[in-house]
Amino acid sequence: HVQLQASGGGFVQAGGSLRLSCVGSGRTFSDYCMGWFRQTPGKEREFVAAISRPGTITYYSDSVKRRFGISRNNAQNTVYLQMNSLKPEDTAVYYCAARTCVTGTAYRHDHDYNYWGPGTQVTVSS
C-alpha cells in the first residue's frame, strides 16, 4: 500500500498563504485518488479538497472554495494544497489521504479513504 508524508504546515498571519505537500511512496501514485482533510481538537475530521487520479476532477468544501487549490504531480508522487487568504478558522492539523480508484472519480468523505499520512499543523493568527 502507499505511504504518505505531508509537510509544509506552519504559522502564518491571517491573509497569508501556505502550500502543503504530500508525498506518496511504495506504490504507483497515479493509481490513487487523493484528498486533504483537517481536524481541530474536539471536532470531527473535516473534508477540505479532493482530486482524481489524473487531476482533472477536483472538489472543495464550501469553507475553502475559491481560497484553496488542490493539484498533483504524478511524476513526483506528490499532491499539493495551496492555501491562500488564510483565516484563523483554518487553523487545524491537515491530513492527506489516498485510496485506489477508477479514473473519473474523486471522494469527499473520510470513510472513503484507506490510507492516511501523519498530519501537519497549520496555525493562522488573527
Side-chain angles (χ1 to χ4, degrees):
H1 60 270
V2 66
Q3 290 88 42
L4 303 171
Q5 183 64 55
S7 62
F11 185 91
V12 64
Q13 291 188 333
S17 298
L18 283 174
R19 188 176 80 156
L20 305 184
S21 300
C22 175
V23 178
S25 62
R27 293 293 298 270
T28 304
F29 189 73
S30 59
D31 287 345
Y32 293 87
C33 288
M34 301 298 297
W36 285 97
F37 293 79
R38 65 188 183 187
Q39 190 169 24
T40 54
K43 292 189 177 181
E44 293 187 354
R45 192 158 47 193
E46 175 190 13
F47 168 72
V48 176
I51 191 166
S52 62
R53 287 171 53 184
T56 52
I57 297 172
T58 57
Y59 296 134
Y60 297 94
S61 69
D62 289 342
S63 61
V64 308
K65 199 175 295 183
R66 291 179 292 277
R67 297 189 298 123
F68 289 13
I70 187 170
S71 62
R72 66 189 296 164
N73 184 330
N74 287 335
Q76 295 186 349
N77 296 344
T78 305
V79 62
Y80 302 97
L81 185 69
Q82 177 66 45
M83 306 186 293
N84 300 323
S85 303
L86 283 161
K87 304 175 181 180
E89 51 264 43
D90 294 319
T91 295
V93 177
Y94 284 72
Y95 299 90
C96 63
R99 63 158 288 158
T100 55
C101 63
V102 299
T103 301
T105 58
Y107 296 86
R108 296 182 177 91
H109 301 290
D110 58 357
H111 61 252
D112 288 323
Y113 289 86
N114 307 107
Y115 307 109
W116 295 81
T120 184
Q121 175 72 46
V122 171
T123 303
V124 185
S125 67
S126 57

